[in-house]
Amino acid sequence: MTGQRRPRIDLEKALAELEEIVGQLESGDLPLEKSLKQFERGVRLSRECQSALKDAEQRVQILMDSELKDLNPETLTAVDDEADDEES
């Protein structure tokens, strides 16, 4: 399965559906079979949400790493020194 991308989910919709399922299960009004099906759906949604969040976190990390690599410590120090001179 290398090279296959997971389809992107609408995180907000998935979380809203998951909250609805949790509410249904907590109410205790569902028959057992329906409760099991909803529980299974909830587990799938939870995993999809966790995966989407992990992907987003990795994307942010890549962006942040690229920004950090672009920063030259000597340039940063020079900018700090200029700011200190202006404050004096």
Side-chain angles (χ1 to χ4, degrees):
M1 291 195 182
T2 304
Q4 278 187 339
R5 294 192 61 113
R6 292 182 297 261
R8 290 209 175 154
I9 65 167
D10 183 333
L11 186 60
E12 287 78 18
K13 282 184 180 178
L15 287 172
E17 184 179 351
L18 187 55
E19 287 177 11
E20 184 178 325
I21 290 170
V22 168
Q24 291 172 351
L25 293 173
E26 286 178 341
S27 75
D29 295 335
L30 296 176
L32 179 60
E33 194 59 37
K34 178 74 173 174
S35 292
L36 289 172
K37 286 186 186 290
Q38 288 296 80
F39 181 78
E40 289 171 0
R41 175 72 180 144
V43 169
R44 279 194 304 274
L45 282 170
S46 175
R47 289 180 181 156
E48 289 174 4
C49 290
Q50 287 175 342
S51 179
L53 289 171
K54 182 178 177 187
D55 290 346
E57 183 179 10
Q58 288 173 342
R59 290 172 60 195
V60 167
Q61 187 64 46
I62 289 168
L63 291 171
M64 294 303 295
D65 284 347
S66 126
E67 284 185 21
L68 292 175
K69 288 177 187 172
D70 291 343
L71 288 177
N72 179 343
E74 292 173 6
T75 305
L76 189 59
T77 303
V79 170
D80 286 344
D81 290 342
E82 289 175 12
D84 289 342
D85 290 341
E86 290 176 7
E87 289 177 3
S88 298

